[in-house]
Amino acid sequence: MTIKYFKIFGERHTGTNAVSVFLRENFNLSLHGYDFLGWKHRLAPKSEELDDLDIADTLFVFCFRHPFSWLKSMHKEPYSNHYPKLKELDFIDFISAQIEDYRNVITLWNEKNQSYLDMSKEIDKSICINVEDFFNKQEHIHNELCEIIGTQKNFIRFDSYVNGRGLHTDQKISESLMTPSLNKEEIQLINSFLSKELLTSLNYEVW
């Protein structure tokens, strides 16, 4: 079966928009939007949600990001319209605060990313992409995609910073993805909630 579409899942600030542009430009794939398994930032769908869908022509893509840099980006812009005061909190208070249906933003990272990883193992045509690798090892990811999709395409690099509001020429991706400087209290709090097993599965290290 020829792959014609892709469905992408990943938390906010994990490169889902950039990866989507890359897939369209390099492989001419069409994006399955909200009407196909819902919001791309949701908890991964349960297997029974796929029962009535034909997914044979769809590539499933799952995006991840190191928790330290991701937490800093979420603190800067949590996209939580129901609780706008989140942006006013100090970082230590932000990572301690309840967010949406989760105890805090760290447990949100654990639960959503674990759900994406679990789903990726159940789908025949799927790929997991760490956003750091997407920008640092993009040609390698292109080659992996060629193998999964079963085609050979010319590599078109995508290095622009893009989010849901469009391209941003004033943003530097390398700076955004750098592991931030955190103090001892912040690191201890984050590490007390982080899933060590998930970190290992995603090839991330913390200290």
Side-chain angles (χ1 to χ4, degrees):
M1 175 67 74
T2 301
I3 299 297
K4 300 177 182 177
Y5 305 95
F6 70 95
K7 179 65 181 182
I8 194 164
F9 291 105
E11 245 306 322
R12 292 148 283 192
H13 304 293
T14 60
T16 55
N17 290 297
V19 173
S20 294
V21 173
F22 180 80
L23 288 167
R24 288 195 293 264
E25 291 189 349
N26 279 268
F27 298 96
N28 197 31
L29 298 181
S30 298
L31 171 68
H32 273 311
Y34 195 91
D35 59 346
F36 186 90
L37 295 172
W39 191 39
K40 66 180 178 179
H41 302 313
R42 62 169 287 187
L43 197 71
K46 301 293 185 182
S47 57
E48 53 265 28
E49 293 184 58
L50 305 178
D51 289 346
D52 297 326
L53 296 176
D54 182 1
I55 63 171
D57 59 358
T58 300
L59 171 72
F60 283 79
V61 183
F62 303 91
C63 295
F64 305 90
R65 182 173 175 178
H66 191 284
F68 285 5
S69 68
W70 179 80
L71 287 166
K72 280 292 189 178
S73 289
M74 280 292 284
H75 179 228
K76 183 177 180 181
E77 179 49 87
Y79 294 109
S80 288
N81 294 330
H82 70 289
Y83 187 25
K85 289 188 176 181
L86 272 176
K87 295 178 69 172
E88 301 173 11
L89 298 176
D90 292 337
F91 182 68
I92 192 70
D93 294 325
F94 171 76
I95 60 178
S96 304
Q98 182 174 345
I99 182 171
E100 298 165 0
D101 299 325
Y102 300 89
R103 178 174 177 178
N104 56 49
V105 72
I106 309 163
T107 59
L108 182 155
W109 187 92
N110 287 338
E111 294 183 38
K112 284 198 177 180
N113 286 317
Q114 186 64 60
S115 77
Y116 302 145
L117 194 60
D118 291 343
M119 185 178 180
S120 73
K121 297 173 183 177
E122 299 175 359
I123 301 292
D124 182 41
K125 298 292 185 180
S126 70
I127 185 171
C128 293
I129 299 176
N130 290 7
V131 67
E132 298 85 0
D133 292 340
F134 177 70
F135 287 105
N136 296 323
K137 304 175 183 177
Q138 198 169 103
E139 190 165 5
H140 173 78
I141 288 175
H142 179 272
N143 292 338
E144 187 177 354
L145 283 162
C146 286
E147 184 174 343
I148 294 169
I149 295 171
T151 187
Q152 291 297 321
K153 295 287 187 178
N154 292 330
F155 171 56
I156 305 171
R157 180 173 294 281
F158 184 79
D159 284 331
S160 300
Y161 188 102
V162 58
N163 60 22
R165 301 184 179 116
L167 289 170
H168 298 266
T169 57
D170 59 336
Q171 296 275 6
K172 292 185 177 180
I173 297 168
S174 58
E175 291 181 4
S176 175
L177 295 179
M178 285 180 60
T179 304
S181 176
L182 301 173
N183 64 42
K184 185 176 180 180
E185 180 186 9
E186 292 165 345
I187 292 172
Q188 287 180 339
L189 177 59
I190 294 168
N191 287 346
S192 70
F193 286 102
L194 275 178
S195 166
K196 305 305 185 292
E197 181 179 351
L198 179 57
L199 287 168
T200 299
S201 297
L202 296 176
N203 295 313
Y204 285 135
E205 294 182 355
V206 296
W207 49 89

